[in-house]
Amino acid sequence: MEKKQKGFAHYVIRGSLVTQISIGLIAGILLAWLAPSVAKSVELLGTLFVGALKAAAPVLVWVLVMSAIANYKAGQKSSIRPILFLYLLGTFLAAIVAVIGSMLFPSTLTLVTNDIQILPPENIIEVLKGILLNIVANPIDALINANYISILAWSTGIGIALRHGKESTKFIVHDLAEAVMQVLRVIIRFAPIGIFGLVSSTIATTGFNVLLDYVQLLSVLLGCMVFIALIINPLIVFWKIRRNPYPLVFACLRESGITAFFTRSSAANIPVNIAMCRRMNLNEDTYSISIPLGAIINMGGAAVTITVLTLAAVNTLNIHVDLPTAILLSVVSAVAACGTSGVVGGSLLLIPLGCSMFGISNEIAMQVVAVGMIIGVVQDSVETALNSSTDVLFTAAACQAEESRSAADQLAQR
């Protein structure tokens, strides 16, 4: 009996997180189906889990980036530049796929009046201005409000300054980063319980009936994201590593995408991605920077959302879109996606920017945002899963390509 208890405790603490999450998901659906009133009462479990993740994620990004830069040694090999290029390329290609998907399967919307109070950017200059203002924001406010652009800027600056500091100070920063990571690991272990509460309460309260009116739009959105995950990203990875990319692609979707789907936060999924990079024996000097960086600027899913919803509004209003305008929309969507807010559903706030390119009034654009919020229960989850899994996918591809290149160079020297 004691052995059984020990085995169960070991499974809870050390067992496969993906398997445990799947069990929590199934249990949540069953509870919502069999006892809806009880399911609504367990919403607190999901709220506490997501709240803990959101509270810890900004601090994690801060100390992780600061520690990685402060403890960087001259001469260390890293692949940050290739990874940054992959992030930008993937985001732009995602916008291109969204344009093509929207033209092949045009969607229309039933635009309704909504009282949501949001102040969207009016043009691309406003987006760039907002990014610059976010960079110089008060660092304490940035941590409180999860302003990841500012957090990245401040942690990078302090990390560079600390490279000239005492070794003891650098060790303290490193230990602080490890401590915060440990806290996040503990929180992540509660994911099955949190997801159980989230799924059961959401289905019991709203169900999926609200999505039936937007099946066409949701199909285009999800279809584009799946195409990127299973076709575009593998092609990019194959170009980088020159071998079958799908084992790596499926591993990233399984281990990173599933948890990100439910947490709906790329920043909160950083510990999962870093743990995966560590298991793959990737270069720590690379992934300790690229994973937090990707959570902020690698936003292929957001580019799809901005593009598809904008073109749905354009199609509803019978506005003609030529090829140059479509390409320009792809560029704008990619740039806007890189600066999207760190909050859940942040990509929706940039839809009015895309609409403004076609002369669509802000009043109508806000109705499109409202539609996005209605389908956001699925759209935002899949978007985050794509974004976060791609962070570790491109990091692994760049690191493996560098390892192959180094091995080839050593072989040539012999």
Side-chain angles (χ1 to χ4, degrees):
M1 184 70 176
E2 185 176 342
K3 287 185 178 179
K4 289 184 178 180
Q5 290 178 347
K6 182 179 180 180
F8 177 75
H10 179 80
Y11 174 75
V12 171
I13 298 173
R14 301 291 184 182
S16 169
L17 186 61
V18 174
T19 302
Q20 294 175 358
I21 288 175
S22 300
I23 294 172
L25 172 62
I26 295 171
I29 294 174
L30 291 175
L31 180 62
W33 177 40
L34 299 175
S37 58
V38 177
K40 293 178 182 178
S41 65
V42 300
E43 180 181 7
L44 180 62
L45 296 176
T47 303
L48 288 174
F49 172 65
V50 174
L53 284 175
K54 290 180 179 178
V59 180
L60 176 65
V61 173
W62 178 289
V63 298
L64 208 58
V65 174
M66 183 171 60
S67 172
I69 295 176
N71 287 281
Y72 179 82
K73 304 296 184 182
Q76 287 179 343
K77 292 184 178 180
S78 65
S79 305
I80 296 300
R81 289 183 181 177
I83 294 172
L84 183 60
F85 174 77
L86 293 180
Y87 285 166
L88 298 177
L89 175 64
T91 301
F92 176 70
L93 292 180
I96 293 290
V97 168
V99 168
I100 295 173
S102 296
M103 289 183 170
L104 292 177
F105 306 99
S107 304
T108 57
L109 306 174
T110 301
L111 300 177
V112 295
T113 303
N114 203 292
D115 296 328
I116 299 174
Q117 299 296 320
I118 299 176
L119 297 176
E122 297 178 357
N123 50 53
I124 191 65
I125 301 300
E126 287 296 316
V127 173
L128 296 176
K129 179 181 176 181
I131 293 175
L132 292 175
L133 290 176
N134 281 337
I135 289 176
V136 297
N138 184 289
I140 304 301
D141 288 339
L143 288 170
I144 294 174
N145 298 314
N147 176 358
Y148 288 104
I149 297 295
S150 178
I151 290 171
L152 179 63
W154 279 99
S155 59
T156 299
I158 295 176
I160 293 173
L162 284 175
R163 290 181 62 180
H164 304 287
K166 297 179 180 179
E167 288 300 319
S168 58
T169 304
K170 296 178 184 179
F171 284 134
I172 291 174
V173 173
H174 178 267
D175 289 344
L176 178 61
E178 287 297 319
V180 176
M181 278 287 295
Q182 186 60 38
V183 171
L184 261 294
R185 292 190 190 103
V186 173
I187 295 174
I188 290 293
R189 293 308 304 184
F190 285 94
I193 298 175
I195 288 168
F196 165 75
L198 284 173
V199 171
S200 59
S201 61
T202 299
I203 294 178
T205 303
T206 65
F208 289 101
N209 292 332
V210 71
L211 303 176
L212 295 179
D213 293 335
Y214 300 103
V215 169
Q216 165 75 12
L217 176 64
L218 195 56
S219 298
V220 174
L221 275 167
L222 302 188
C224 289
M225 293 182 191
V226 170
F227 185 82
I228 292 163
L230 300 182
I231 303 297
I232 299 299
N233 284 351
L235 286 174
I236 294 174
V237 173
F238 175 77
W239 166 72
K240 197 69 181 174
I241 65 176
R242 302 297 179 180
R243 61 176 181 271
N244 182 8
Y246 282 100
L248 179 60
V249 169
F250 290 138
C252 293
L253 289 173
R254 182 179 63 252
E255 298 188 33
S256 173
I258 290 178
T259 53
F261 179 91
F262 292 104
T263 61
R264 297 171 67 183
S265 172
S266 294
N269 210 48
I270 287 175
V272 175
N273 285 350
I274 286 183
M276 185 176 180
C277 290
R278 186 178 292 114
R279 288 195 300 273
M280 291 190 291
N281 295 318
L282 302 182
N283 185 348
E284 185 175 359
D285 296 321
T286 296
Y287 70 70
S288 61
I289 298 177
S290 67
I291 294 299
L293 184 64
I296 300 171
I297 68 169
N298 184 33
M299 294 291 173
V304 170
T305 298
I306 296 168
T307 304
V308 170
L309 284 172
T310 296
L311 291 179
V314 168
N315 188 57
T316 300
L317 299 173
N318 296 316
I319 299 174
H320 174 69
V321 180
D322 55 18
L323 183 59
T325 304
I327 295 175
L328 179 60
L329 175 62
S330 300
V331 175
V332 171
S333 297
V335 173
C338 291
T340 194
S341 173
V343 300
V344 172
S347 58
L348 299 177
L349 305 184
L350 292 168
I351 291 172
L353 170 61
C355 289
S356 68
M357 292 180 55
F358 302 94
I360 299 174
S361 68
N362 189 59
E363 180 181 353
I364 295 177
M366 284 298 95
Q367 295 178 33
V368 180
V369 173
V371 171
M373 291 185 172
I374 291 173
I375 64 175
V377 64
V378 175
Q379 165 269 324
D380 194 51
S381 295
V382 177
E383 175 186 313
T384 307
L386 174 61
N387 292 341
S388 189
S389 62
T390 306
D391 294 346
V392 66
L393 175 65
F394 286 167
T395 295
C399 288
Q400 291 179 7
E402 179 63 29
E403 290 174 2
S404 298
R405 191 179 300 109
S406 298
D409 291 342
Q410 291 177 2
L411 187 61
Q413 290 175 0
R414 292 178 180 176

